[in-house]
Amino acid sequence: MGHRVNIKDEYRERFYRVPKVFMTNEKYKNLSMNAKMTWAIFRDRTDLSLKNNWIDGNGDVYFVFTYENLMDLLNIKSRTTISKIKKELLAAGLIEEIRQGLNRPNKIYLFSPEVEAEDIYTI
């Protein structure tokens, strides 16, 4: 017999989802694994934004993620590396950052990856 479902199971089974198109579409295949993982972390963060009602006047969900938080989560010691990851995501059209002003973190908007017909067959 198995074990009863426990609250610890809920936390143990939480995970980040990485779209398969990141592995099949030429536009995303060359993204670093750090960039792909960061996108998944950002996607997860949008759930918290919805709970906090971080939605702009257009109905777009945004979030705030400091360099320090991302460095800690990815176990990366360099702000330069985090900057490079964000530039990759910007270049791929997967995020947009809006400056909020001096000493305030940027608002980050997440974009869904584009899926082409051939991606569907590959996936």
Side-chain angles (χ1 to χ4, degrees), residues 86-104:
K86 287 175 127 184
K87 284 178 183 175
E88 279 186 78
L89 293 171
L90 282 164
L94 292 169
I95 65 169
E96 178 184 8
E97 287 192 279
I98 305 296
R99 289 180 145 318
Q100 292 196 84
L102 191 61
N103 295 325
R104 296 181 62 201

Side-chain angles (χ1 to χ4, degrees), residues 42-105:
F42 286 170
R43 176 62 186 91
D44 185 68
R45 181 55 63 99
T46 61
D47 293 339
L48 180 60
S49 293
L50 288 170
K51 285 182 186 177
N52 290 331
N53 202 32
W54 288 3
I55 302 167
D56 68 15
N58 295 322
D60 297 326
V61 178
Y62 65 89
F63 55 94
V64 174
F65 218 114
T66 66
Y67 270 70
E68 291 74 19
N69 288 344
L70 198 51
M71 288 168 63
D72 184 52
L73 207 51
L74 292 171
N75 194 30
I76 292 174
K77 307 294 184 232
S78 164
R79 288 180 64 90
T80 305
T81 302
I82 297 298
S83 181
K84 181 181 172 216
I85 291 168
K86 287 175 127 184
K87 284 178 183 175
E88 279 186 78
L89 293 171
L90 282 164
L94 292 169
I95 65 169
E96 178 184 8
E97 287 192 279
I98 305 296
R99 289 180 145 318
Q100 292 196 84
L102 191 61
N103 295 325
R104 296 181 62 201

